[in-house]
Amino acid sequence: KAGVTQTPRYLIKTRGQQVTLSCSPISGHRSVSWYQQTPGQGLQFLFEYFSETQRNKGNFPGRFSGRQFSNSRSEMNVSTLELGDSALYLCASSGLADTEQYFGPGTRLTVT
Amino acid sequence: AQTVTQSQPEMSVQEAETVTLSCTYDTSESDYYLFWYKQPPSRQMILVIRQEAYKQQNATENRFSVNFQKAAKSFSLKISDSQLGDAAMYFCAYKTGGTSYGKLTFGQGTILTVHP
């Protein structure tokens, strides 16, 4: 079974721009969660989607948004990028039992 | 809110020796899950082991085992016969069994160095 894939793997953007990251879950998984990892704040939960609905959200500003498609693929969008948005963005998928999460390789976003 | 604390920013171990990584958590929930994830330099998060709070028996996966002390809210990871490939950042994570669904709360991580 193929693992979780994320595209792109690396991204460099300028402050004020917007960015869209993509995550394809393991086949059959309907839950996709997103996390931001920074040296200062560690791993923080952004949001989770299940069957195209956001069912949990972390404590991030409205500039961070996401969506999920009918094939369970998910995208997250960050608008009006700030320098502090530079981070590794990880997505994870889980199956029906919703206990274990399986992570993708991450997207490294650098904002200059 | 649930919190997870890893008090050891760095640990080191000799190859073939045993090392224990510590984790404590705070929750008022009775139904929850605990995990240890490994993040090598590639940054790929890999699930090492999981523990259901309702199970008294400590989880074991090959060379990895946990010491789950529910009353003390402690969840340590023991790595036996350490190998060079075990070198990584290790994260302890908590997930409630309730309406937080897919949300994992992570500790700050412990960097494990394995010396040959």
Side-chain angles (χ1 to χ4, degrees):
Chain A
K1 220 180 219 186
V4 179
T5 59
Q6 291 187 246
T7 56
R9 293 292 310 278
Y10 302 91
L11 207 48
I12 300 175
K13 289 287 188 179
T14 303
R15 197 169 38 180
Q17 288 185 316
Q18 75 166 13
V19 68
T20 299
L21 313 181
S22 180
C23 172
S24 292
I26 291 171
S27 177
H29 286 188
R30 292 162 62 187
S31 169
V32 174
S33 298
W34 288 89
Y35 297 85
Q36 180 196 65
Q37 185 176 20
T38 60
Q41 299 298 316
L43 279 152
Q44 293 185 287
F45 172 77
L46 281 155
F47 31 64
E48 185 217 1
Y49 286 86
F50 181 83
S51 292
E52 303 179 64
T53 300
Q54 186 185 88
R55 66 177 183 180
N56 206 348
K57 188 177 188 305
N59 189 26
F60 278 81
R63 300 185 297 107
F64 292 82
S65 62
R67 61 176 174 169
Q68 187 179 34
F69 301 94
S70 59
N71 62 358
S72 294
R73 187 177 72 85
S74 177
E75 289 181 346
M76 70 163 279
N77 183 277
V78 188
S79 62
T80 320
L81 283 165
E82 300 177 359
L83 295 178
D85 297 332
S86 293
L88 179 68
Y89 290 88
L90 294 164
C91 84
S93 74
S94 59
L96 204 56
D98 270 359
T99 51
E100 298 158 9
Q101 292 189 12
Y102 299 90
F103 283 79
T107 294
R108 169 75 66 186
L109 172 66
T110 302
V111 182
T112 61
Chain B
Q2 293 82 16
T3 58
V4 178
T5 303
Q6 293 177 248
S7 59
Q8 306 155 317
E10 296 183 34
M11 291 284 284
S12 64
V13 64
Q14 291 293 133
E15 199 174 4
E17 297 293 307
T18 296
V19 65
T20 299
L21 308 184
S22 300
C23 172
T24 59
Y25 59 95
D26 187 27
T27 183
S28 57
E29 303 281 338
S30 58
D31 178 22
Y32 54 89
Y33 302 87
L34 296 164
F35 307 88
W36 279 97
Y37 280 89
K38 167 186 175 181
Q39 188 178 45
S42 68
R43 294 299 196 178
Q44 175 78 53
M45 293 282 280
I46 301 165
L47 177 66
V48 175
I49 199 166
R50 81 172 210 184
Q51 174 80 43
E52 292 88 342
Y54 63 85
K55 288 188 178 178
Q56 293 186 342
Q57 187 173 6
N58 290 324
T60 299
E61 287 288 340
N62 300 313
R63 299 182 294 108
F64 298 88
S65 61
V66 299
N67 184 3
F68 174 48
Q69 301 289 326
K70 190 172 184 178
K73 296 180 182 174
S74 169
F75 182 61
S76 61
L77 174 69
K78 185 172 84 171
I79 306 174
S80 304
D81 185 25
S82 296
Q83 300 175 359
L84 295 177
D86 295 334
M89 174 85 91
Y90 285 81
F91 291 96
C92 177
Y94 169 100
K95 177 185 175 302
T96 184
T99 55
S100 289
Y101 300 113
K103 176 183 177 181
L104 287 172
T105 301
F106 287 91
Q108 288 299 99
T110 297
I111 299 172
L112 177 66
T113 302
V114 181
H115 298 288

